[in-house]
Amino acid sequence: MRVILDILLLLPALLYQSALAAHFTYRGVGVDLLAVLLASIAINQGWLYGAVGGFAAGLILDCTFGHIGLYALQYMALGMFVGLVNERFRLDAIVLPALLTLGACAAREIVPAVYLYFARATVSWGYALLRVLLCAALDAALFVPVHLLLRRLHRWDVVRASLFPFHGRKW
Amino acid sequence: MRWKAGAGGHKIALIVCGAVLCLLTALFGLSVTGIFKIPFLESAVSFVVTPVQGFVTNAYNAVRSGLEERATIAQLNEEIARLTEENRRLQAEMSSMEELERENERLLGLLGVTEVNPETEYVAASVVAKEAGGWFSVFTVNKGARDGVEKDDPVLSDEGLIGRVMEVTDSTSVVLTLIDSRSAVAGLVERTRDNGICHGSLYVYENDEMLRMNYLPEGSELNTGDRVITSGLDGVYPKGLFIGTVRSISRESSGDGRYVVLSPAVDFAHIEEVLIMTGGQAAEE
Protein backbone atom coordinates (compact mmCIF):
# COMPACT_ATOMS: atom_id res chain seq x y z
CA MET A 1 0.00 0.00 0.00
CA ARG A 2 2.88 2.37 0.77
CA VAL A 3 4.19 1.81 -2.75
CA ILE A 4 0.88 2.96 -4.23
CA LEU A 5 0.96 6.00 -1.97
CA ASP A 6 4.52 6.77 -3.11
CA ILE A 7 3.52 6.48 -6.77
CA LEU A 8 0.52 8.74 -6.16
CA LEU A 9 2.84 11.34 -4.62
CA LEU A 10 5.55 10.97 -7.27
CA LEU A 11 3.16 11.63 -10.18
CA PRO A 12 2.18 15.20 -9.20
CA ALA A 13 5.79 15.91 -8.21
CA LEU A 14 6.86 14.79 -11.67
CA LEU A 15 4.20 16.96 -13.32
CA TYR A 16 5.24 19.93 -11.21
CA GLN A 17 8.89 19.43 -12.06
CA SER A 18 8.27 19.16 -15.81
CA ALA A 19 5.53 21.75 -16.33
CA LEU A 20 5.57 24.30 -13.51
CA ALA A 21 8.89 24.36 -11.66
CA ALA A 22 10.52 26.53 -14.33
CA HIS A 23 8.11 29.32 -13.42
CA PHE A 24 9.17 29.24 -9.77
CA THR A 25 12.90 29.73 -10.09
CA TYR A 26 14.97 32.85 -9.55
CA ARG A 27 18.09 33.09 -11.69
CA GLY A 28 18.09 29.32 -12.06
CA VAL A 29 17.74 28.65 -8.34
CA GLY A 30 14.67 26.72 -7.23
CA VAL A 31 13.58 23.63 -5.36
CA ASP A 32 13.51 20.18 -6.90
CA LEU A 33 10.39 18.62 -5.41
CA LEU A 34 11.02 15.33 -7.18
CA ALA A 35 14.52 14.96 -5.71
CA VAL A 36 13.24 15.79 -2.23
CA LEU A 37 10.41 13.28 -2.46
CA LEU A 38 12.74 10.58 -3.79
CA ALA A 39 15.18 11.18 -0.93
CA SER A 40 12.35 10.84 1.57
CA ILE A 41 11.05 7.66 -0.09
CA ALA A 42 14.57 6.19 -0.09
CA ILE A 43 14.92 6.87 3.64
CA ASN A 44 11.47 5.55 4.51
CA GLN A 45 11.30 2.59 2.18
CA GLY A 46 14.89 1.63 1.44
CA TRP A 47 17.43 2.25 -1.28
CA LEU A 48 15.85 -0.07 -3.85
CA TYR A 49 12.61 1.90 -3.85
CA GLY A 50 14.58 5.15 -4.17
CA ALA A 51 16.60 3.76 -7.07
CA VAL A 52 13.63 2.32 -8.98
CA GLY A 53 11.48 5.41 -8.36
CA GLY A 54 14.32 7.69 -9.42
CA PHE A 55 14.96 5.66 -12.56
CA ALA A 56 11.29 5.68 -13.64
CA ALA A 57 10.68 9.37 -12.90
CA GLY A 58 14.00 10.39 -14.47
CA LEU A 59 13.31 8.40 -17.61
CA ILE A 60 9.98 10.19 -18.11
CA LEU A 61 11.76 13.57 -17.77
CA ASP A 62 14.45 12.38 -20.19
CA CYS A 63 11.83 11.48 -22.79
CA THR A 64 10.11 14.84 -22.29
CA PHE A 65 13.24 16.92 -22.74
CA GLY A 66 15.10 14.79 -25.23
CA HIS A 67 18.29 13.71 -23.51
CA ILE A 68 18.01 10.04 -22.67
CA GLY A 69 19.91 9.07 -19.52
CA LEU A 70 20.62 12.46 -17.92
CA TYR A 71 17.75 12.64 -15.43
CA ALA A 72 17.34 8.87 -15.01
CA LEU A 73 21.01 8.71 -13.98
CA GLN A 74 20.76 11.63 -11.58
CA TYR A 75 17.56 10.61 -9.80
CA MET A 76 18.40 6.91 -9.65
CA ALA A 77 21.83 7.65 -8.18
CA LEU A 78 20.26 10.06 -5.70
CA GLY A 79 17.64 7.57 -4.52
CA MET A 80 20.18 4.77 -4.28
CA PHE A 81 22.81 6.87 -2.48
CA VAL A 82 20.44 8.35 0.11
CA GLY A 83 18.85 4.95 0.81
CA LEU A 84 22.18 3.13 1.15
CA VAL A 85 23.73 5.75 3.46
CA ASN A 86 20.60 5.73 5.61
CA GLU A 87 20.64 1.95 5.76
CA ARG A 88 24.32 1.89 6.70
CA PHE A 89 24.24 4.59 9.39
CA ARG A 90 20.60 4.36 10.55
CA LEU A 91 19.79 8.07 10.45
CA ASP A 92 16.73 8.41 12.63
CA ALA A 93 16.57 12.12 13.48
CA ILE A 94 15.45 14.67 10.90
CA VAL A 95 18.64 16.77 10.79
CA LEU A 96 20.97 14.06 9.54
CA PRO A 97 18.65 12.93 6.72
CA ALA A 98 18.24 16.60 5.74
CA LEU A 99 22.02 17.02 5.62
CA LEU A 100 22.28 13.82 3.61
CA THR A 101 19.67 15.21 1.17
CA LEU A 102 21.66 18.44 0.93
CA GLY A 103 24.77 16.51 -0.08
CA ALA A 104 22.91 14.26 -2.52
CA CYS A 105 21.07 17.17 -4.16
CA ALA A 106 24.32 19.13 -4.50
CA ALA A 107 25.96 16.13 -6.16
CA ARG A 108 22.92 15.76 -8.44
CA GLU A 109 23.05 19.43 -9.46
CA ILE A 110 26.72 19.13 -10.40
CA VAL A 111 25.98 16.49 -13.07
CA PRO A 112 24.45 18.93 -15.64
CA ALA A 113 27.35 21.36 -15.10
CA VAL A 114 29.85 18.60 -15.82
CA TYR A 115 27.85 17.61 -18.89
CA LEU A 116 27.85 21.22 -20.14
CA TYR A 117 31.61 21.37 -19.61
CA PHE A 118 32.08 18.31 -21.79
CA ALA A 119 29.58 19.71 -24.31
CA ARG A 120 32.10 22.57 -24.73
CA ALA A 121 29.81 25.16 -23.15
CA THR A 122 31.43 27.80 -20.98
CA VAL A 123 30.94 27.16 -17.27
CA SER A 124 32.06 29.57 -14.57
CA TRP A 125 32.76 27.07 -11.82
CA GLY A 126 32.69 29.47 -8.87
CA TYR A 127 29.25 30.73 -9.83
CA ALA A 128 28.08 27.22 -10.68
CA LEU A 129 29.12 25.99 -7.22
CA LEU A 130 27.26 28.84 -5.54
CA ARG A 131 24.09 28.01 -7.45
CA VAL A 132 24.45 24.30 -6.73
CA LEU A 133 24.77 24.98 -3.01
CA LEU A 134 21.79 27.34 -2.98
CA CYS A 135 19.61 24.80 -4.81
CA ALA A 136 20.73 22.02 -2.46
CA ALA A 137 20.07 24.18 0.61
CA LEU A 138 16.53 24.89 -0.62
CA ASP A 139 15.99 21.19 -1.28
CA ALA A 140 17.22 20.30 2.22
CA ALA A 141 14.91 22.92 3.74
CA LEU A 142 11.93 21.52 1.82
CA PHE A 143 12.96 17.99 2.78
CA VAL A 144 12.08 18.51 6.45
CA PRO A 145 8.31 19.08 6.05
CA VAL A 146 8.04 16.64 3.13
CA HIS A 147 9.80 13.89 5.07
CA LEU A 148 7.73 14.45 8.21
CA LEU A 149 4.54 14.37 6.14
CA LEU A 150 5.56 11.24 4.24
CA ARG A 151 6.59 9.48 7.44
CA ARG A 152 3.18 10.22 8.87
CA LEU A 153 1.39 9.09 5.72
CA HIS A 154 3.41 5.90 5.68
CA ARG A 155 1.80 4.88 8.91
CA TRP A 156 -1.01 3.04 7.21
CA ASP A 157 -3.57 3.76 9.91
CA VAL A 158 -3.41 7.49 9.14
CA VAL A 159 -4.27 6.90 5.49
CA ARG A 160 -6.85 4.26 6.32
CA ALA A 161 -8.57 6.54 8.84
CA SER A 162 -8.93 9.28 6.25
CA LEU A 163 -10.07 6.92 3.48
CA PHE A 164 -12.39 4.72 5.53
CA PRO A 165 -13.56 6.81 8.50
CA PHE A 166 -16.18 4.27 9.65
CA HIS A 167 -14.00 1.18 9.39
CA GLY A 168 -14.12 -0.93 12.57
CA ARG A 169 -16.49 1.40 14.41
CA LYS A 170 -19.20 -0.27 16.42
CA TRP A 171 -22.74 0.97 15.93
CA MET B 1 7.52 -2.74 3.68
CA ARG B 2 11.27 -2.06 3.55
CA TRP B 3 12.86 -4.33 0.97
CA LYS B 4 14.18 -7.36 2.72
CA ALA B 5 16.20 -10.21 1.37
CA GLY B 6 19.17 -12.22 2.31
CA ALA B 7 22.69 -10.89 1.98
CA GLY B 8 22.91 -12.60 -1.43
CA GLY B 9 19.75 -10.93 -2.72
CA HIS B 10 20.93 -7.56 -1.43
CA LYS B 11 24.23 -7.93 -3.25
CA ILE B 12 22.55 -8.96 -6.48
CA ALA B 13 20.16 -5.98 -6.33
CA LEU B 14 23.13 -3.66 -5.69
CA ILE B 15 25.04 -5.11 -8.63
CA VAL B 16 21.97 -4.80 -10.91
CA CYS B 17 21.41 -1.16 -9.88
CA GLY B 18 25.11 -0.39 -10.33
CA ALA B 19 24.98 -1.93 -13.79
CA VAL B 20 21.88 0.13 -14.66
CA LEU B 21 23.68 3.30 -13.53
CA CYS B 22 26.67 2.44 -15.74
CA LEU B 23 24.29 1.69 -18.62
CA LEU B 24 22.53 5.03 -18.12
CA THR B 25 25.87 6.85 -18.15
CA ALA B 26 26.77 5.14 -21.42
CA LEU B 27 23.29 5.79 -22.90
CA PHE B 28 23.51 9.44 -21.97
CA GLY B 29 26.94 9.74 -23.54
CA LEU B 30 25.68 8.15 -26.73
CA SER B 31 22.46 10.20 -26.83
CA VAL B 32 24.45 13.45 -26.41
CA THR B 33 26.57 12.59 -29.42
CA GLY B 34 23.41 11.65 -31.34
CA ILE B 35 24.53 8.07 -31.92
CA PHE B 36 21.78 6.55 -29.80
CA LYS B 37 18.11 7.53 -29.71
CA ILE B 38 14.99 5.75 -28.53
CA PRO B 39 12.35 7.48 -30.67
CA PHE B 40 9.58 4.96 -29.96
CA LEU B 41 10.02 5.38 -26.21
CA GLU B 42 10.10 9.18 -26.47
CA SER B 43 6.98 9.10 -28.69
CA ALA B 44 5.14 6.78 -26.32
CA VAL B 45 5.97 8.85 -23.24
CA SER B 46 5.08 12.08 -25.07
CA PHE B 47 1.75 10.59 -26.14
CA VAL B 48 0.81 9.90 -22.52
CA VAL B 49 2.50 12.75 -20.66
CA THR B 50 2.12 15.72 -23.01
CA PRO B 51 -1.68 16.18 -22.70
CA VAL B 52 -1.41 16.17 -18.90
CA GLN B 53 1.54 18.59 -18.96
CA GLY B 54 -0.36 20.76 -21.43
CA PHE B 55 -3.38 20.82 -19.12
CA VAL B 56 -1.25 21.78 -16.10
CA THR B 57 0.64 24.45 -18.05
CA ASN B 58 -2.59 25.91 -19.46
CA ALA B 59 -4.17 25.97 -16.01
CA TYR B 60 -1.12 27.76 -14.61
CA ASN B 61 -1.10 30.24 -17.50
CA ALA B 62 -4.82 30.93 -17.04
CA VAL B 63 -4.36 31.64 -13.32
CA ARG B 64 -1.32 33.83 -13.96
CA SER B 65 -3.06 35.72 -16.78
CA GLY B 66 -6.07 36.34 -14.56
CA LEU B 67 -3.89 37.77 -11.80
CA GLU B 68 -1.87 39.85 -14.21
CA GLU B 69 -5.00 41.21 -15.89
CA ARG B 70 -6.31 42.53 -12.62
CA ALA B 71 -3.01 44.17 -11.83
CA THR B 72 -2.57 45.84 -15.15
CA ILE B 73 -5.89 47.56 -15.91
CA ALA B 74 -4.46 50.89 -14.75
CA GLN B 75 -1.35 50.36 -16.82
CA LEU B 76 -3.51 49.61 -19.85
CA ASN B 77 -4.99 53.09 -19.90
CA GLU B 78 -1.51 54.60 -20.02
CA GLU B 79 -0.57 52.06 -22.65
CA ILE B 80 -3.55 53.04 -24.83
CA ALA B 81 -2.50 56.69 -24.78
CA ARG B 82 1.08 55.78 -25.62
CA LEU B 83 0.01 53.42 -28.42
CA THR B 84 -2.27 56.03 -29.97
CA GLU B 85 0.70 58.36 -30.20
CA GLU B 86 2.90 55.59 -31.54
CA ASN B 87 0.26 54.66 -34.10
CA ARG B 88 0.38 58.18 -35.54
CA ARG B 89 4.15 57.99 -35.77
CA LEU B 90 4.08 54.53 -37.35
CA GLN B 91 1.57 55.58 -39.98
CA ALA B 92 3.97 58.30 -41.01
CA GLU B 93 6.82 55.81 -41.08
CA MET B 94 4.75 53.28 -43.00
CA SER B 95 4.28 55.56 -45.94
CA SER B 96 8.05 55.93 -46.27
CA MET B 97 8.47 52.16 -45.76
CA GLU B 98 6.09 51.44 -48.62
CA GLU B 99 8.29 53.51 -50.85
CA LEU B 100 11.33 51.56 -49.66
CA GLU B 101 9.52 48.28 -50.24
CA ARG B 102 8.74 49.20 -53.82
CA GLU B 103 12.38 50.14 -54.32
CA ASN B 104 13.46 46.84 -52.79
CA GLU B 105 11.16 44.90 -55.12
CA ARG B 106 12.63 46.67 -58.08
CA LEU B 107 16.19 45.89 -56.95
CA LEU B 108 15.34 42.23 -56.29
CA GLY B 109 13.82 42.05 -59.74
CA LEU B 110 17.05 43.41 -61.13
CA LEU B 111 18.96 40.68 -59.34
CA GLY B 112 16.67 38.05 -60.78
CA VAL B 113 15.32 37.03 -57.40
CA THR B 114 11.65 36.46 -57.85
CA GLU B 115 10.82 34.80 -54.58
CA VAL B 116 13.08 34.78 -51.54
CA ASN B 117 11.52 31.98 -49.53
CA PRO B 118 8.96 30.15 -51.65
CA GLU B 119 8.59 27.26 -49.22
CA THR B 120 8.29 29.21 -45.99
CA GLU B 121 5.58 27.72 -43.83
CA TYR B 122 4.84 28.26 -40.19
CA VAL B 123 3.43 25.87 -37.65
CA ALA B 124 1.97 27.46 -34.50
CA ALA B 125 2.61 25.52 -31.30
CA SER B 126 2.04 25.89 -27.56
CA VAL B 127 4.60 25.29 -24.83
CA VAL B 128 3.61 22.29 -22.72
CA ALA B 129 6.71 21.67 -20.59
CA LYS B 130 9.79 23.62 -19.54
CA GLU B 131 13.03 22.30 -18.15
CA ALA B 132 13.26 23.55 -14.58
CA GLY B 133 16.93 23.23 -13.72
CA GLY B 134 18.97 26.37 -14.17
CA TRP B 135 21.47 24.71 -16.46
CA PHE B 136 19.44 24.29 -19.62
CA SER B 137 16.92 26.44 -21.44
CA VAL B 138 14.84 23.85 -23.21
CA PHE B 139 11.08 23.52 -23.59
CA THR B 140 8.64 21.13 -25.22
CA VAL B 141 5.88 22.17 -27.64
CA ASN B 142 2.78 20.28 -28.71
CA LYS B 143 3.63 19.95 -32.43
CA GLY B 144 5.82 17.25 -33.92
CA ALA B 145 6.78 15.30 -37.00
CA ARG B 146 3.19 14.67 -38.07
CA ASP B 147 2.69 18.47 -38.27
CA GLY B 148 5.70 18.77 -40.56
CA VAL B 149 8.25 19.80 -37.92
CA GLU B 150 11.81 18.63 -38.49
CA LYS B 151 15.00 18.73 -36.49
CA ASP B 152 16.81 22.10 -36.66
CA ASP B 153 13.72 24.04 -37.80
CA PRO B 154 13.99 27.64 -36.53
CA VAL B 155 11.52 28.64 -33.81
CA LEU B 156 10.22 32.22 -33.52
CA SER B 157 7.88 34.40 -31.56
CA ASP B 158 6.43 37.74 -32.57
CA GLU B 159 9.40 39.35 -30.75
CA GLY B 160 12.19 37.54 -32.57
CA LEU B 161 14.18 34.33 -32.77
CA ILE B 162 13.72 31.80 -29.95
CA GLY B 163 15.93 28.91 -31.04
CA ARG B 164 15.76 25.70 -32.99
CA VAL B 165 14.09 22.31 -32.77
CA MET B 166 16.46 19.89 -31.03
CA GLU B 167 14.37 16.72 -30.91
CA VAL B 168 11.18 15.67 -32.68
CA THR B 169 8.67 12.97 -31.82
CA ASP B 170 5.39 12.33 -33.64
CA SER B 171 3.40 14.74 -31.50
CA THR B 172 5.95 16.94 -29.73
CA SER B 173 9.20 18.81 -30.33
CA VAL B 174 11.93 19.87 -27.93
CA VAL B 175 13.22 23.39 -28.55
CA LEU B 176 16.76 24.48 -27.65
CA THR B 177 16.64 28.23 -27.02
CA LEU B 178 19.28 30.77 -27.99
CA ILE B 179 20.23 31.42 -24.37
CA ASP B 180 21.07 27.78 -23.59
CA SER B 181 24.83 27.56 -23.23
CA ARG B 182 24.94 24.76 -25.85
CA SER B 183 23.42 27.07 -28.45
CA ALA B 184 25.30 29.07 -31.10
CA VAL B 185 23.97 31.25 -33.94
CA ALA B 186 25.79 33.16 -36.66
CA GLY B 187 24.86 36.81 -36.03
CA LEU B 188 25.19 40.05 -37.94
CA VAL B 189 25.15 43.56 -36.51
CA GLU B 190 22.56 45.30 -38.63
CA ARG B 191 24.19 48.75 -38.61
CA THR B 192 27.86 47.88 -39.08
CA ARG B 193 27.41 44.54 -40.94
CA ASP B 194 29.96 42.92 -38.58
CA ASN B 195 29.67 39.14 -38.33
CA GLY B 196 30.04 37.14 -35.13
CA ILE B 197 28.79 34.10 -33.26
CA CYS B 198 26.06 34.49 -30.63
CA HIS B 199 26.47 32.01 -27.75
CA GLY B 200 23.90 31.32 -25.08
CA SER B 201 25.25 32.11 -21.62
CA LEU B 202 22.26 31.55 -19.36
CA TYR B 203 23.37 31.54 -15.71
CA VAL B 204 26.92 30.82 -16.76
CA TYR B 205 28.28 34.14 -15.57
CA GLU B 206 27.57 36.15 -12.44
CA ASN B 207 26.19 39.24 -14.20
CA ASP B 208 22.91 37.59 -15.31
CA GLU B 209 23.78 37.85 -18.98
CA MET B 210 21.95 35.50 -21.34
CA LEU B 211 23.58 35.96 -24.73
CA ARG B 212 27.10 36.81 -25.86
CA MET B 213 28.41 37.65 -29.31
CA ASN B 214 31.98 36.51 -29.91
CA TYR B 215 34.45 36.47 -32.77
CA LEU B 216 33.74 40.05 -33.79
CA PRO B 217 36.26 41.55 -36.20
CA GLU B 218 39.02 43.76 -34.81
CA GLY B 219 38.10 47.42 -34.97
CA SER B 220 34.35 46.89 -35.14
CA GLU B 221 32.66 49.93 -33.71
CA LEU B 222 29.48 48.89 -32.00
CA ASN B 223 27.12 50.94 -29.88
CA THR B 224 24.76 49.81 -27.18
CA GLY B 225 21.31 49.35 -28.68
CA ASP B 226 22.62 48.08 -32.04
CA ARG B 227 20.33 45.39 -33.43
CA VAL B 228 21.76 41.93 -34.11
CA ILE B 229 20.11 39.62 -36.64
CA THR B 230 20.91 36.17 -37.99
CA SER B 231 23.44 36.18 -40.81
CA GLY B 232 22.38 32.83 -42.28
CA LEU B 233 26.00 31.68 -42.40
CA ASP B 234 25.44 28.79 -39.99
CA GLY B 235 23.15 26.94 -42.41
CA VAL B 236 20.48 26.49 -39.72
CA TYR B 237 18.78 29.88 -39.40
CA PRO B 238 17.72 31.98 -42.39
CA LYS B 239 19.10 35.49 -42.68
CA GLY B 240 17.39 38.45 -41.03
CA LEU B 241 15.76 36.99 -37.89
CA PHE B 242 16.00 39.38 -34.95
CA ILE B 243 18.25 38.00 -32.19
CA GLY B 244 18.62 40.94 -29.81
CA THR B 245 20.27 44.27 -29.13
CA VAL B 246 23.75 45.11 -27.84
CA ARG B 247 23.55 45.64 -24.07
CA SER B 248 27.19 46.18 -23.19
CA ILE B 249 30.53 46.05 -24.95
CA SER B 250 33.42 44.34 -23.27
CA ARG B 251 36.76 46.10 -23.26
CA GLU B 252 38.46 42.84 -22.40
CA SER B 253 38.88 39.74 -24.47
CA SER B 254 37.41 36.41 -23.45
CA GLY B 255 38.90 33.11 -24.62
CA ASP B 256 37.07 33.65 -27.91
CA GLY B 257 38.30 37.19 -28.48
CA ARG B 258 36.41 40.45 -28.03
CA TYR B 259 32.77 40.05 -27.13
CA VAL B 260 29.56 41.98 -26.55
CA VAL B 261 26.65 41.10 -24.29
CA LEU B 262 23.24 41.06 -25.97
CA SER B 263 19.76 41.55 -24.59
CA PRO B 264 17.66 38.86 -26.29
CA ALA B 265 14.70 40.06 -28.33
CA VAL B 266 12.48 37.45 -26.72
CA ASP B 267 11.34 37.30 -23.11
CA PHE B 268 12.37 33.70 -22.52
CA ALA B 269 10.71 33.52 -19.12
CA HIS B 270 7.23 34.00 -20.55
CA ILE B 271 7.04 32.04 -23.78
CA GLU B 272 3.62 30.46 -24.29
CA GLU B 273 3.11 30.19 -28.04
CA VAL B 274 5.73 29.86 -30.76
CA LEU B 275 5.97 29.65 -34.54
CA ILE B 276 8.08 26.93 -36.09
CA MET B 277 9.47 27.65 -39.57
CA THR B 278 9.16 24.47 -41.59
CA GLY B 279 10.26 23.67 -45.12
CA GLY B 280 14.04 24.07 -44.81
CA GLN B 281 14.37 27.87 -45.18
CA ALA B 282 17.98 27.89 -44.10
CA ALA B 283 18.92 25.60 -46.96
CA GLU B 284 17.06 27.89 -49.35
CA GLU B 285 19.09 30.84 -48.14
Side-chain angles (χ1 to χ4, degrees):
Chain A
M1 199 63 202
R2 285 181 184 180
V3 178
I4 295 168
L5 180 71
D6 291 340
I7 292 169
L8 287 177
L9 290 171
L10 273 174
L11 286 175
L14 187 63
L15 265 181
Y16 168 82
Q17 206 57 39
S18 64
L20 294 178
H23 299 284
F24 299 103
T25 58
Y26 177 70
R27 293 182 66 170
V29 177
V31 290
D32 189 337
L33 184 59
L34 192 58
V36 169
L37 194 60
L38 279 168
S40 183
I41 288 171
I43 287 172
N44 278 319
Q45 298 273 69
W47 66 270
L48 192 59
Y49 289 86
V52 172
F55 174 78
L59 196 63
I60 291 172
L61 282 183
D62 282 337
C63 291
T64 305
F65 296 116
H67 23 56
I68 297 294
L70 177 65
Y71 284 113
L73 177 71
Q74 290 175 45
Y75 286 118
M76 186 179 173
L78 181 139
M80 205 172 153
F81 171 75
V82 171
L84 281 172
V85 172
N86 180 62
E87 207 168 281
R88 175 74 179 79
F89 297 104
R90 297 280 164 209
L91 310 173
D92 286 332
I94 193 74
V95 178
L96 290 176
L99 287 176
L100 175 63
T101 305
L102 188 141
C105 288
R108 190 198 74 75
E109 279 281 334
I110 282 284
V111 175
V114 174
Y115 156 60
L116 283 178
Y117 176 76
F118 283 111
R120 295 181 192 171
T122 320
V123 176
S124 166
W125 285 103
Y127 184 51
L129 201 63
L130 178 70
R131 281 190 41 227
V132 164
L133 288 177
L134 281 174
C135 287
L138 282 176
D139 290 343
L142 182 68
F143 172 83
V144 176
V146 167
H147 186 58
L148 290 175
L149 181 71
L150 195 70
R151 223 163 49 176
R152 190 163 164 71
L153 287 174
H154 272 169
R155 285 186 216 135
W156 165 234
D157 51 341
V158 175
V159 180
R160 190 174 54 184
S162 59
L163 287 178
F164 312 109
F166 306 113
H167 181 76
R169 189 174 291 180
K170 289 181 180 175
W171 299 91
Chain B
M1 193 89 178
R2 190 180 285 266
W3 185 74
K4 281 174 188 167
H10 191 271
K11 267 187 186 168
I12 290 168
L14 260 177
I15 290 165
V16 169
C17 282
V20 171
L21 281 175
C22 293
L23 186 69
L24 282 173
T25 311
L27 278 183
F28 176 57
L30 292 172
S31 76
V32 165
T33 50
I35 298 169
F36 179 79
K37 295 278 165 197
I38 317 177
F40 65 92
L41 183 62
E42 291 181 24
S43 293
V45 171
S46 299
F47 181 75
V48 177
V49 175
T50 304
V52 189
Q53 285 171 332
F55 174 76
V56 173
T57 306
N58 288 339
Y60 169 79
N61 287 336
V63 171
R64 205 194 66 197
S65 302
L67 292 173
E68 280 175 358
E69 265 175 33
R70 291 185 68 171
T72 55
I73 286 172
Q75 287 175 351
L76 281 176
N77 287 329
E78 289 174 22
E79 191 76 4
I80 287 167
R82 195 183 61 75
L83 287 174
T84 311
E85 181 60 32
E86 195 171 333
N87 189 30
R88 282 197 204 102
R89 190 178 58 79
L90 287 174
Q91 276 177 343
E93 272 182 21
M94 204 171 76
S95 58
S96 64
M97 290 289 286
E98 280 169 356
E99 181 53 36
L100 283 171
E101 195 179 345
R102 279 193 288 274
E103 186 185 342
N104 191 29
E105 277 169 5
R106 286 198 305 276
L107 291 171
L108 284 174
L110 284 173
L111 287 168
V113 181
T114 52
E115 230 176 339
V116 180
N117 280 323
E119 292 174 19
T120 302
E121 285 173 20
Y122 294 96
V123 175
S126 298
V127 177
V128 291
K130 268 186 186 177
E131 194 143 1
W135 298 106
F136 309 114
S137 179
V138 171
F139 60 84
T140 308
V141 294
N142 63 348
K143 293 288 165 69
R146 65 170 167 234
D147 304 291
V149 180
E150 290 173 10
K151 196 181 172 199
D152 287 337
D153 279 348
V155 181
L156 316 169
S157 77
D158 54 342
E159 297 166 315
L161 182 62
I162 290 176
R164 65 178 171 85
V165 174
M166 186 172 73
E167 294 279 338
V168 188
T169 69
D170 278 352
S171 56
T172 62
S173 306
V174 180
V175 178
L176 179 73
T177 71
L178 290 181
I179 58 174
D180 188 293
S181 51
R182 295 168 291 175
S183 181
V185 191
L188 174 73
V189 182
E190 215 172 36
R191 185 177 61 82
T192 61
R193 317 309 288 175
D194 288 324
N195 279 291
I197 304 290
C198 301
H199 291 281
S201 53
L202 178 71
Y203 306 131
V204 169
Y205 303 103
E206 291 85 344
N207 55 354
D208 80 340
E209 66 179 63
M210 291 184 177
L211 206 54
R212 261 188 190 192
M213 190 171 184
N214 290 100
Y215 304 112
L216 285 158
E218 286 295 324
S220 55
E221 293 183 0
L222 307 182
N223 296 330
T224 52
D226 276 345
R227 282 165 57 94
V228 177
I229 57 172
T230 51
S231 68
L233 296 177
D234 50 25
V236 176
Y237 301 97
K239 190 176 180 179
L241 302 176
F242 185 28
I243 296 173
T245 52
V246 175
R247 190 176 89 184
S248 62
I249 301 154
S250 167
R251 295 180 190 281
E252 304 156 16
S253 290
S254 73
D256 305 327
R258 191 179 169 222
Y259 69 91
V260 296
V261 177
L262 304 180
S263 293
V266 177
D267 177 7
F268 285 95
H270 299 106
I271 299 172
E272 289 174 27
E273 282 91 26
V274 299
L275 286 175
I276 304 170
M277 286 175 87
T278 58
Q281 295 77 16
E284 291 296 319
E285 290 279 324

